[in-house]
Amino acid sequence: MAKIGLYLCECGPNIADAIDLDRVAAEIEKDGKVAGIERHKLFCSADGKKFLAESIKKNGFERFVIAACSPKQHEGTFAEVASDVGLNPQMFQLVNIREQCAWTVPDKEQATGKALRFIRAAVTRVQYHQALEQKEIDCNPDVFVIGGGIAGIEVALRTAHKGRKVFLAEKGELGGMLKERGLLFPAMEPAGDFLGPRIDALRNNPQIELFENCKVKEVLGFFGSFVALLETQEGKEIELKAGSVVLATGAQAFNPKELAEYGYGKLDGVYTADEIEKRGVGKLLTESAKPVKSVAVIHCVGRDKLGYCSKMCCVNSMKIARQIREQSAETEVVELYRDLCLPGKGYDRFYKETEAKGVKFARFESVEVTGGDSGLTVKYKQPGGTGAELAVDMVVLSTGLAANPSNPELADMLSISVDESGFFVEEHAVLNPVSTMTEGVFIAGCARGPGDTRDTIVQASATAGKVLSSLVPGKRLQLETRTSEVSEKLCVGCGTCVTVCAYGATTLDESRHIAVVNEVLCRGCGNCASACPSGAAKHRHFTTRQLNQEVTEILK
Amino acid sequence: MAENNNVLVIGAGLAGIEASLLLSNAGRKVYLVERNSYFGGTVIKSEEVFPNMECATCMIAPKQSQLLEDKNIELLTLTDVTDVQGDVGDFTVKLASRARYVSLVNCIGCGACFEPCPVSVDNEFEEGLMKRKAIFLACAGALPNAPAIDMDCCLRAKGEDCTACKDACMFDAISFEEKDEEKEIKVGAIIVATGYQLGDVSRFPEYGYGKIENVFHAFEFERLRASNGPTEGAIKTRDGREPKSIGLIHCVGRDAGGYCSQVCCMYLTKFACYAFDKVEGVEVHEFFQELSTPGKAGQKFLDEAKEKGVKLVRARGVELSGNGEGVRITYQDGKTGKDTVDVDMVVLAPCIEPNSGADALAKLLGIEPGDFGFFKTTEFDPVATKRAGIFVAGCNEGPKSMQDVVVQAEAAVAAVLNGSKADTAVRRQDPAQD
Ligand SMILES: Cc1cc2nc3c(=O)[nH]c(=O)nc-3n(C[C@H](O)[C@H](O)[C@H](O)COP(=O)(O)OP(=O)(O)OC[C@H]3O[C@@H](n4cnc5c(N)ncnc54)[C@H](O)[C@@H]3O)c2cc1C
Ligand SMILES: Cc1cc2nc3c(=O)[nH]c(=O)nc-3n(C[C@H](O)[C@H](O)[C@H](O)COP(=O)(O)OP(=O)(O)OC[C@H]3O[C@@H](n4cnc5c(N)ncnc54)[C@H](O)[C@@H]3O)c2cc1C
Ligand code: SF4
Ligand code: SF4
Ligand code: SF4
Ligand code: SF4
Ligand code: SF4
């Protein structure tokens, strides 16, 4: 049997006062399972660590147990000591007799009893610990970007440098939703002035390879090593290799056809904001059969159907309204809104400027557009329930942004998910907002939710930050050591582990009818090991044997 | 000349933490400077965070521990930046660290030194809702897990020979001899992540803050709900009663300030959820002007609160007055005119403002304070300032949710890692240059 050392930390008075360490030492010694027991006032201190290292070496311990504080606080500290003295860092067990005993059990007798059980369990468990290897793999720093809107363009420009190539696949032309915009809020600059130089930079960058009019057929592989298959319009297939994948597939303007109350597609003079911009505000005003003397801009079109507020359409409505006023001073413009969504430091001012240009604002609860010989009638209910009516020549429907319909297909390909609206789901909505559950797959721009150009650009840069900091050319990727494996002999190929793995680390090897764990993707959560009905999936540091022995000892 | 790859991050809130961890991951050496004795910023004031009502400390503490263990990151608490010279790739920065009087190496955070300290003052972290000693930890769980002595109120600063805390410490962690220190570092880039503070609501007499007993501001309410706070998570009025009704007031100071603070519609709705979770049968009224819950998660969050029973009232011209122990809310409802509601407590959502000292820092760094004192960035490069090599992230650039703060911090990291090599086309129209 391996030579095991036990170390008892007093943690000043914290443990020493609350637990009878003399008794603990005496009883463990009686058990006869450890080769030596030592105490220290504070093992985590510089002095304590030195003492620990010297003691392990001097006594020739092959494994050790240290009874001290929470692994959250000092597992790393003691793993380092283990490494320093030449032991595999898995060859020890930290028992938390501070938070779980000293600080929570007021009665000293009971606290001591509880600590004894925990320590015995650890002494038993540590005998079954296996040395695990810290593996590293070479990584491919190249980036594969899907979608050539502003999000994709920015990711490409911000990641393509010496030592790193970027492949960008766009199903149509570059530019996304911005290519058909006139002016961009809030700066009110022509979208082309903004987009043009960026597309030029993209085309002129030797590190960027563009694949326009291409379909993404398949993406296989994992973080550090993805392989993508593209198909050109002519049916030619292209294979690409990259270390990370960025989904920048954007969104689309909501189509209000299905909402009867707006008369869209039926009534002349009812346009969506998107359409107005595509045709050009000025053109519409001058080319319509009769002069446009009055316009109603209706907010929140599709908001209830979509289930969320799209954030950009309030400001976009104002952008259109003020352009109308600027181009035709005699045209009355009324904005019918529900709530004004003007978040952040710039938009209240934009609203005030719009008002100053003579745009009127009125709140509505519900609205209906009908047509007649003399023009359009907008009937709406005001807050409080009273009805009101506007006779106008033109109606602009300010629609929100709907998710890109091709998202679910891509999500499937990359083992990530889309939410009920069809946007890609983040790894963590707050802490990891541009990462996904598949390591190395990132999301940026309207592919992850509605937003304006500025939002899109920050997210694209964030994605670049994640890519640049995780896949450094020449640096090898360190893998998780405490992972799971599937025994070829025991696995019946039922696929249970594949369903429970949140990281897409388990797959079925069809030819051998067994499940396999990809060590690069496995984060060692243990889901597969606990779900596997045949005991084939096993966590390397939480084996059934280790757990069984540990728990049995505690319950004795 | 070779570029210096080290990075200075100023401010150790969520933005500073995220940026530092990513930079370290890319192999960069990071100096993370924080003026408080603890780090984590404002997030650690919250018990739970929208939109998923997750436990805030459970989210942040692992990141903090990771940072404390990270050998590439040097966290300097109680430290201010006093001078910045040089240029992108080669900045020389002077730092001034105030003495903690407690050794971060020896102290284990046992707290034995608090009790004997004879001094008692308001705990700023708890918004004055409870007291602390001259030797103190901002709150239970604050990191680094070691107290600091506040020499502004320690008896020794008044010439007395008190050694009560030192006598109580079993680990020889306290040293009154510790001196303030200055040091000079060299870095190639700087990320400014100095965050925000809440606007002073006593400026607006109509809300009666400071006069009407049971009017609170948002951070006070966060601390009331916090399980490590003054009431251990029990929502109570200042006189210790459990409120039967609560009024939440939106947009406090928005008109005067001239901008929407972006997160208060969401966090007030979170407060409604807090109240329903903690106080059985409580009535919650939200008085709002415009409801701003943008993005894919906002509406759902609001709908959930509505289901729990929050009453949403569109209101203008809100005025508060004392009403016995409670508060009377008078407002214009836009339909029938003036109306009133009586409640046991009121919570105000003040504007999010740039942190104190932001102006001076901007001057020192040679970057521009922009609208409302938030740092100015180029229009379509939302982390770049007018000075090459200095980037901003988090709420000092404008009010934001945690999600947006993390996104911007990661974006700032990209800018640093790109260095001066950032593409040139993107700089074409650059409003911050004018
Ligand atoms: C009417 C309207 C007006 C607007 N006005 C403004 C404004 O004034 N100011 C402002 O800041 N913002 C404005 N916006 C918002 C702005 O357009 C978006 O924020 C921005 O375009 C989002 O960029 P993106 O790259 O995320 O998405 P997109 O622009 O949608 O680009 C996505 C790209 O991905 C491609 N793609 C999709 N699926 C695939 C696939 N499977 N494979 C390959 N490629 C794919 C698409 O073809 C597209 O080119 C407006 C939006 C609309 C609808
Ligand atoms: C009441 C309330 C509730 C909220 N709830 C939520 C929520 O539920 N969900 C959500 O997503 N968002 C919420 N938010 C928003 C959230 O708090 C912010 O997005 C986030 O905390 C901002 O992080 P930050 O790092 O930018 O700033 P901060 O947290 O302010 O951190 C800045 C740090 O910089 C330090 N510092 C400042 N100046 C200097 C200087 N000169 N030198 C050195 N250091 C300095 C500060 O001490 C601080 O530690 C809420 C906000 C409020 C007001
Ligand atoms: S941004 Fe404005 S118009 Fe668009 S959905 Fe939100 S509230 Fe409605
Ligand atoms: S341990 Fe977790 S991450 Fe690893 S394969 Fe099993 S389920 Fe997936
Ligand atoms: S010296 Fe005395 S007053 Fe000062 S912190 Fe210590 S106990 Fe408190
Ligand atoms: S200074 Fe000493 S007594 Fe105070 S918390 Fe630290 S170790 Fe404990
Ligand atoms: S977020 Fe809501 S409460 Fe805050 S200022 Fe904006 S509209 Fe008002």
Side-chain angles (χ1 to χ4, degrees):
Chain A
M1 211 172 76
K3 226 174 148 190
I4 300 171
L6 170 66
Y7 296 94
L8 304 172
C9 183
E10 296 176 5
C11 194
N14 281 289
I15 293 174
D17 286 359
I19 291 171
D20 184 349
L21 289 176
D22 292 335
R23 199 187 119 203
V24 170
E27 294 213 18
I28 299 284
E29 196 173 349
K30 246 193 284 160
D31 294 346
K33 288 187 183 164
V34 300
I37 303 175
E38 306 242 39
R39 274 166 76 153
H40 193 275
K41 199 173 94 174
L42 207 59
F43 271 110
C44 61
S45 64
D47 190 44
K49 284 189 283 191
K50 201 167 138 234
F51 174 80
L52 177 62
E54 278 165 8
S55 158
I56 296 170
K57 273 192 282 189
K58 187 181 73 204
N59 292 300
F61 294 143
E62 295 151 289
R63 289 155 198 247
F64 66 98
V65 169
I66 174 157
C69 55
S70 161
K72 270 192 183 158
Q73 206 156 358
H74 281 305
E75 191 165 50
T77 312
F78 299 127
E80 217 177 285
V81 175
S83 290
D84 288 349
V85 299
L87 288 181
N88 184 281
Q90 310 302 330
M91 288 308 180
F92 82 98
Q93 178 78 358
L94 174 56
V95 194
N96 183 356
I97 59 167
R98 192 177 72 181
E99 281 86 343
Q100 291 183 350
C101 304
W103 285 355
T104 36
V105 185
D107 180 80
K108 190 166 179 175
E109 186 63 31
Q110 280 181 347
T112 307
K114 190 173 174 191
L116 260 171
R117 279 174 192 270
F118 283 1
I119 294 169
R120 285 189 169 121
V123 169
T124 311
R125 180 192 216 281
V126 82
Q127 299 172 38
Y128 300 98
H129 281 197
Q130 283 156 0
L132 300 178
E133 188 191 343
Q134 169 70 63
K135 288 188 187 155
E136 287 181 354
I137 53 161
D138 282 325
C139 67
N140 178 342
D142 298 346
V143 188
F144 175 42
V145 180
I146 307 178
I150 189 63
I153 294 173
E154 288 285 329
V155 172
L157 289 176
R158 284 165 201 260
T159 51
H161 291 299
K162 230 171 73 215
R164 191 191 311 273
K165 291 200 72 151
V166 177
F167 308 103
L168 190 153
E170 161 60 54
K171 69 173 182 202
E173 279 170 48
L174 294 175
M177 291 190 283
L178 285 190
K179 68 174 175 282
E180 285 160 325
R181 303 280 76 86
L183 300 180
L184 286 188
F185 69 74
M188 297 304 266
E189 280 164 6
D193 284 6
F194 165 72
L195 198 57
R198 284 173 164 76
I199 293 185
D200 290 345
L202 203 67
R203 295 201 189 281
N204 293 331
N205 190 323
Q207 294 299 107
I208 300 176
E209 245 182 275
L210 293 175
F211 300 91
E212 287 158 88
N213 298 303
C214 270
K215 189 179 154 49
V216 180
K217 284 191 68 176
E218 193 175 54
V219 186
L220 297 171
F222 44 82
F223 186 40
S225 170
F226 288 101
V227 183
L229 195 64
L230 307 185
E231 192 182 64
T232 65
Q233 250 172 348
E234 300 77 39
K236 208 179 100 201
E237 289 195 343
I238 304 169
E239 198 187 89
L240 302 172
K241 292 200 166 82
S244 53
V245 179
V246 178
L247 293 164
T249 50
Q252 55 191 34
F254 174 79
N255 188 334
K257 256 199 184 101
E258 53 186 304
L259 303 175
E261 65 268 36
Y262 300 109
Y264 179 70
K266 297 202 179 67
L267 300 173
D268 282 344
V270 178
Y271 302 97
T272 61
D274 185 41
E275 239 176 325
I276 297 251
E277 282 198 77
K278 281 179 181 158
R279 298 206 193 180
V281 176
K283 249 192 172 155
L284 262 177
L285 290 174
T286 49
E287 286 175 10
S288 68
K290 71 182 202 83
V292 180
K293 288 264 175 275
S294 53
V295 180
V297 183
I298 305 177
H299 287 218
C300 288
V301 173
R303 175 174 174 169
D304 294 339
K305 177 93 192 168
L306 291 168
Y308 51 84
C309 155
S310 295
K311 186 173 181 195
M312 43 63 65
C313 19
C314 271
V315 191
N316 197 46
S317 312
M318 294 179 200
K319 172 182 89 181
I320 293 171
R322 56 202 265 176
Q323 287 181 69
I324 297 175
R325 292 285 302 164
E326 277 160 8
Q327 307 208 2
S328 158
E330 66 279 11
T331 303
E332 287 264 335
V333 185
V334 180
E335 296 215 30
L336 293 175
Y337 68 97
R338 275 165 47 176
D339 274 292
L340 286 181
C341 174
L342 306 167
K345 60 180 177 177
Y347 293 146
D348 266 11
R349 182 185 303 141
F350 196 85
Y351 163 62
K352 296 224 168 79
E353 285 166 8
T354 309
E355 250 186 339
K357 290 191 194 296
V359 176
K360 303 265 178 324
F361 286 82
R363 198 189 298 280
F364 75 91
E365 278 176 353
S366 62
V367 68
E368 194 187 357
V369 184
T370 52
D373 299 335
S374 55
L376 298 163
T377 306
V378 181
K379 283 197 201 112
Y380 64 100
K381 205 167 93 191
Q382 294 172 307
T386 48
E389 232 176 74
L390 288 172
V392 294
D393 301 319
M394 192 196 279
V395 166
V396 180
L397 303 178
S398 190
T399 63
L401 293 173
N404 179 335
S406 69
N407 289 354
E409 193 192 330
L410 287 167
D412 256 8
M413 231 182 255
L414 292 158
S415 320
I416 63 170
S417 33
V418 293
D419 65 15
E420 64 269 25
S421 312
F423 295 108
F424 295 117
V425 176
E426 307 86 344
E427 179 176 352
H428 189 282
V430 174
L431 292 182
N432 263 324
V434 299
S435 309
T436 66
M437 286 308 272
T438 300
E439 205 175 359
V441 175
F442 302 98
I443 43 180
C446 290
R448 60 178 288 281
D452 60 23
T453 304
R454 199 182 151 91
D455 297 333
T456 302
I457 293 176
V458 210
Q459 287 165 28
S461 317
T463 300
K466 293 293 265 188
V467 170
L468 296 176
S469 61
S470 58
L471 293 172
V472 180
K475 204 173 133 189
R476 286 161 68 85
L477 216 61
Q478 282 207 342
L479 304 182
E480 170 70 52
T481 41
R482 295 176 175 181
T483 52
S484 290
E485 62 192 337
V486 171
S487 149
E488 201 169 324
K489 239 175 30 219
L490 295 177
C491 177
V492 295
C494 67
T496 307
C497 53
V498 180
T499 3
V500 297
C501 179
Y503 302 100
T506 39
T507 43
L508 275 184
D509 179 336
E510 302 288 350
S511 61
R512 291 190 294 164
H513 289 286
I514 54 159
V516 282
V517 176
N518 181 326
E519 267 194 78
V520 179
L521 297 180
C522 176
R523 308 259 185 108
C525 70
N527 273 359
C528 54
S530 50
C532 176
S534 53
K538 167 182 132 192
H539 191 292
R540 292 186 168 91
H541 197 69
F542 293 91
T543 60
T544 311
R545 185 118 181 240
Q546 287 167 357
L547 292 171
N548 190 8
Q549 296 285 335
E550 185 177 15
V551 174
T552 311
E553 197 58 56
I554 285 185
L555 298 178
K556 252 185 199 165
Chain B
M1 201 185 114
E3 273 199 19
N4 186 318
N5 271 335
N6 301 345
V7 186
L8 165 68
V9 178
I10 310 174
L14 182 58
I17 292 174
E18 176 69 13
S20 302
L21 287 172
L22 275 195
L23 285 166
S24 158
N25 202 35
R28 297 301 185 95
K29 155 96 194 170
V30 180
Y31 299 95
L32 175 57
V33 167
E34 166 59 51
R35 67 179 177 192
N36 284 329
S37 57
Y38 61 94
F39 77 121
T42 49
V43 173
I44 61 170
K45 285 187 192 268
S46 295
E47 178 76 9
E48 289 173 328
V49 295
F50 69 73
N52 293 324
M53 295 306 267
E54 289 157 291
C55 155
T57 24
C58 316
M59 279 164 52
I60 304 306
K63 291 217 172 225
Q64 289 178 289
S65 312
Q66 195 189 335
L67 191 146
L68 288 170
E69 275 172 31
D70 195 317
K71 301 217 157 55
N72 287 340
I73 305 176
E74 188 173 333
L75 173 68
L76 296 140
T77 49
L78 290 164
T79 301
D80 290 298
V81 176
T82 53
D83 189 43
V84 177
Q85 298 294 332
D87 242 318
V88 55
D90 181 30
F91 289 109
T92 302
V93 180
K94 285 206 179 101
L95 304 175
S97 301
R98 280 155 281 142
R100 179 185 281 272
Y101 305 103
V102 176
S103 154
L104 288 175
V105 179
N106 290 356
C107 171
I108 66 147
C110 65
C113 50
F114 305 154
E115 228 273 311
C117 175
V119 176
S120 172
V121 292
D122 278 352
N123 183 341
E124 307 84 347
F125 182 84
E126 301 295 355
E127 307 297 335
L129 293 173
M130 68 190 283
K131 300 284 183 195
R132 64 163 171 84
K133 296 302 181 74
I135 185 163
F136 73 105
L137 203 61
C139 64
L143 292 169
N145 185 17
I149 294 182
D150 174 1
M151 269 303 158
D152 287 343
C153 59
C154 169
L155 296 180
R156 299 185 65 86
K158 299 189 179 96
E160 290 181 41
D161 188 29
C162 176
T163 54
C165 53
K166 192 173 164 61
D167 298 342
C169 178
M170 312 278 291
F171 301 93
D172 200 19
I174 299 175
S175 156
F176 301 122
E177 276 69 58
E178 199 182 315
K179 294 272 173 303
D180 294 355
E181 267 175 37
E182 284 189 8
K183 104 180 204 182
E184 197 174 275
I185 57 168
K186 300 249 182 215
V187 297
I190 300 175
I191 294 177
V192 192
T194 47
Y196 71 98
Q197 65 184 16
L198 289 182
D200 173 14
V201 281
S202 54
R203 281 183 297 191
F204 308 109
E206 62 269 34
Y207 299 111
Y209 181 82
K211 299 213 170 69
I212 308 168
E213 189 181 15
N214 283 315
V215 177
F216 293 80
H217 65 65
F219 278 157
E220 287 177 321
F221 197 71
E222 285 286 11
R223 292 318 292 158
L224 282 182
R225 172 61 190 92
S227 35
N228 63 352
T231 55
E232 291 177 348
I235 295 174
K236 286 198 177 127
T237 59
R238 289 195 212 268
D239 44 313
R241 286 171 302 130
E242 184 167 88
K244 293 202 175 57
S245 53
I246 302 178
L248 305 172
I249 318 287
H250 288 234
C251 291
V252 171
R254 173 176 176 177
D255 290 343
Y259 62 94
C260 157
S261 293
Q262 182 144 223
V263 290
C264 14
C265 277
M266 287 291 278
Y267 78 61
L268 285 179
T269 304
K270 168 177 89 172
F271 286 0
C273 299
Y274 280 175
F276 291 128
D277 283 353
K278 293 299 282 187
V279 187
E280 223 188 289
V282 70
E283 262 187 40
V284 184
H285 310 262
E286 274 190 55
F287 296 87
F288 67 97
Q289 297 183 11
E290 305 290 339
L291 270 182
S292 176
T293 53
K296 60 180 176 180
Q299 186 69 42
K300 222 178 0 174
F301 188 66
L302 187 66
D303 288 345
E304 277 162 20
K306 278 194 212 160
E307 238 159 71
K308 289 188 182 150
V310 65
K311 297 201 174 69
L312 290 166
V313 188
R314 196 183 293 282
R316 282 251 153 209
V318 170
E319 279 176 33
L320 305 179
S321 51
N323 174 33
E325 303 293 273
V327 188
R328 169 158 297 175
I329 305 168
T330 311
Y331 64 98
Q332 308 279 350
D333 72 353
K335 301 174 196 168
T336 52
K338 267 199 173 174
D339 213 337
T340 59
V341 173
D342 291 333
V343 293
D344 290 332
M345 76 195 285
V346 162
V347 185
L348 306 174
C351 306
I352 284 187
E353 292 177 348
N355 231 327
S356 60
D359 267 357
L361 188 65
K363 209 170 273 154
L364 197 146
L365 292 167
I367 63 175
E368 270 179 293
D371 293 341
F372 319 111
F374 292 108
F375 295 141
K376 189 163 178 172
T377 60
T378 59
E379 181 62 49
F380 287 113
D381 195 351
V383 298
T385 66
K386 76 166 189 187
R387 187 158 178 196
I390 303 189
F391 306 96
V392 296
C395 285
N396 56 10
E397 188 271 329
K400 296 181 183 63
S401 67
M402 290 167 66
Q403 179 188 74
D404 291 345
V405 163
V406 171
V407 167
Q408 208 187 14
E410 294 173 348
V413 168
V416 169
L417 295 179
N418 270 327
S420 44
K421 290 170 299 231
D423 51 294
T424 43
V426 194
R427 309 234 164 255
R428 226 192 67 166
Q429 12 130 349
D430 198 339
Q433 303 288 354
D434 57 34

